[in-house]
Amino acid sequence: MQYPWHLYLMGAMYIVAGIIHFIKPQMYMRIMPRYLPAHKPLVYLSGLAEIFLGFLLFFPETKDLAIYGIILMLLVFLLVHFYMLSSKKAGADIPKWALILRIPLQFFLMYWAWFYLQF
């Protein structure tokens, strides 16, 4: 079965997002919850995970593994999104309404990934 174009879009989206972790790590370290240790290594690790999982989406043999990994990763990233709601400083000057909208967006991204298990 041929992959839909939007599955490739999803893979590319995660690869680009992961690369940004290496280009602008300070942006991500600023929003890391204080209770997590080793912020910079975690930023790089999450960037590597996004790149790796994005590439795995492109191959039929690894697509399902990538999907489960993406869903798990997005669940873990919810920690950051809730932390950003905890204070103005943690929110990185992003408007509160945008921070609130990011929560359902995470669940939409999880559903979008889960949708591709049928292919």
Side-chain angles (χ1 to χ4, degrees), residues 5-75:
W5 65 268
H6 35 88
L7 178 62
Y8 293 106
L9 174 67
M10 176 187 280
M13 179 187 77
Y14 284 107
I15 291 167
V16 169
I19 290 169
I20 294 170
H21 283 68
F22 293 92
I23 296 171
K24 296 188 176 254
Q26 289 300 116
M27 179 176 73
Y28 292 97
M29 289 193 319
R30 183 176 175 194
I31 63 172
M32 290 287 286
R34 295 194 188 279
Y35 55 82
L36 293 176
H39 288 178
K40 197 167 199 172
L42 285 176
V43 166
Y44 290 146
L45 181 63
S46 61
L48 277 175
E50 286 184 300
I51 293 166
F52 182 66
L53 293 169
F55 274 117
L56 290 181
L57 282 176
F58 297 148
F59 306 100
E61 303 82 14
T62 57
K63 175 189 63 74
D64 288 356
L65 177 65
I67 289 168
Y68 289 120
I70 287 168
I71 292 169
L72 180 61
M73 179 181 66
L74 291 171
L75 282 169

Side-chain angles (χ1 to χ4, degrees), residues 13-14 74 78 81 98-113:
M13 179 187 77
Y14 284 107
L74 291 171
L78 280 172
H81 296 300
L99 295 174
I100 291 168
L101 285 178
R102 288 177 70 188
I103 305 298
L105 175 64
Q106 286 293 105
F107 289 103
F108 169 76
L109 292 172
M110 288 179 222
Y111 172 77
W112 186 23

Side-chain angles (χ1 to χ4, degrees), residues 26-32 34 80-96 98-99 102:
Q26 289 300 116
M27 179 176 73
Y28 292 97
M29 289 193 319
R30 183 176 175 194
I31 63 172
M32 290 287 286
R34 295 194 188 279
V80 172
H81 296 300
F82 284 117
Y83 174 72
M84 290 179 75
L85 282 167
S86 70
S87 74
K88 187 170 178 75
K89 184 176 180 177
D93 296 324
I94 297 171
K96 190 92 163 177
L99 295 174
R102 288 177 70 188

